Amino acid sequence: MELQVVEQIAEVRQAVNGARQRGSRIGFVPTMGALHSGHVSLMEEARRDCEFVVVSIFVNPTQFGPKEDLNKYPRPFENDVALCQGAGVSLIFHPQPVTIYPPGFKTRVEVTGLSSVWEGAFRPEHFCGVTTVVMKLLNIVQADVTYFGRKDFQQQLIIKQMCQDLDWPYAIQTCATIRDPDGLAKSSRNVYLSPSERQSGLSLSRALFHVRDQIQSGNRDVLQLQQAMRQILDGTPGVIVDYAAIINSDTLAAATEYQPALTAAIAVRVGATRLIDNIELP
Ligand code: PAF
């Protein structure tokens, strides 16, 4: 099937309705472009489940803080189209900001509580921008399954909560984090890193893998493990830690003792670049 690139909401609806009438299952991967193998793995997972896969490429201004990287966020559109083509995507939705936020737009979708901790504490308006645009995109595409990466752990949890609270009738699926061979989690922002910053960035996966390995070998001292994670990060030149915590994977509450469903989550700044990563603990 030939890849179609559209900018208008009505064109998405028409293409999706046509595919559904032909009996296809619809999969959807929302992105901000600057696609990498993490995104490709979401598209491939979508292709395994669905005959018709939609990818949105929209650098959503409302999820960037005033001092964040909206203007310099990479936009390699031609390369993105080629990656979508290679992954068997059927439709790219590439709207202009005015299509998503027309004059007079007044609505905010906010998931309280979960949005104000961890990432939310450092990026106050971020998740409200994410949930507002994701709710719009979900409504535009109305896919049977929509795919998000576990790399943005808090984001996928908040989106699932929003979908439950607002009776979204279709599935939301979270897919594994994809890493470079050296452990660095794939992120569109990795292109900002100089070679030495990239070396510093490896401390995130090193700290997370250390905690996972310790738990696997029987250490259940969550507070000590959190401290060990912090020491690895603090001991790495060029790394400034925003948080390094072991949290409950469902509530995001900081854990003080071992329990089922734990996630170790980290956010740091390396030079001007903010990096996040997390790992599900055994
Ligand atoms: O994860 C992202 O790339 C963005 O937050 C998303 C979900 C596409 C919303 O803009």
Side-chain angles (χ1 to χ4, degrees), residues 1-227:
M1 193 188 306
E2 206 180 312
L3 172 63
Q4 221 187 320
V5 180
V6 301
E7 289 197 0
Q8 301 303 325
I9 293 169
E11 295 173 296
V12 178
R13 294 211 156 121
Q14 194 185 11
V16 168
N17 286 341
R20 195 162 264 139
Q21 270 161 21
R22 292 192 298 276
S24 297
R25 239 167 102 77
I26 316 296
F28 177 36
V29 181
T31 81
M32 297 207 299
L35 304 178
H36 49 67
S37 52
H39 296 111
V40 171
S41 77
L42 300 180
M43 297 174 207
E44 286 171 349
E45 189 124 356
R47 268 306 274 129
R48 274 195 286 277
D49 301 340
C50 306
E51 295 78 22
F52 191 90
V53 172
V54 182
V55 170
S56 63
I57 297 181
F58 178 61
V59 183
N60 174 37
T62 64
Q63 68 188 77
F64 288 78
K67 295 194 182 129
E68 292 184 1
D69 55 342
L70 172 62
N71 290 331
K72 76 165 186 174
Y73 198 83
R75 290 163 170 87
F77 187 65
E78 274 175 28
N79 191 54
D80 288 350
V81 172
L83 285 175
C84 289
Q85 187 117 45
V89 169
S90 302
L91 181 77
I92 295 177
F93 177 41
H94 184 227
Q96 295 298 318
V98 70
T99 303
I100 298 296
Y101 301 112
F105 186 87
K106 289 190 176 57
T107 299
R108 287 159 59 97
V109 180
E110 186 173 5
V111 176
T112 55
L114 294 178
S115 294
S116 50
V117 295
W118 309 118
E119 280 305 281
F122 289 88
R123 307 181 71 191
E125 290 295 309
H126 172 68
F127 285 122
C128 183
V130 170
T131 41
T132 302
V133 82
V134 169
M135 198 67 239
K136 281 194 65 115
L137 293 168
L138 290 175
N139 275 319
I140 291 165
V141 181
Q142 305 209 1
D144 296 287
V145 192
T146 301
Y147 300 81
F148 294 91
R150 185 182 157 106
K151 155 82 169 32
D152 295 304
F153 179 74
Q154 189 172 357
Q155 169 174 281
Q156 58 82 41
L157 188 74
I158 288 171
I159 288 168
K160 282 182 173 159
Q161 181 75 47
M162 169 182 78
C163 288
Q164 184 181 315
D165 291 349
L166 298 182
D167 304 306
W168 179 249
Y170 301 110
I172 302 293
Q173 192 161 311
T174 305
C175 306
T177 301
I178 303 297
R179 299 178 180 281
D180 280 328
D182 59 10
L184 188 70
K186 287 282 186 184
S187 162
S188 303
R189 291 187 166 100
N190 290 351
V191 297
Y192 299 149
L193 298 171
S194 69
S196 73
E197 288 173 341
R198 202 177 184 291
Q199 280 307 309
S200 304
L202 297 182
S203 59
L204 281 82
S205 53
R206 213 167 41 242
L208 295 172
F209 294 163
H210 172 76
V211 173
R212 178 200 60 196
D213 295 348
Q214 282 290 305
I215 291 204
Q216 245 155 12
S217 50
N219 186 346
R220 296 285 181 267
D221 189 339
V222 163
L223 293 178
Q224 184 258 315
L225 288 172
Q226 196 161 281
Q227 213 169 15

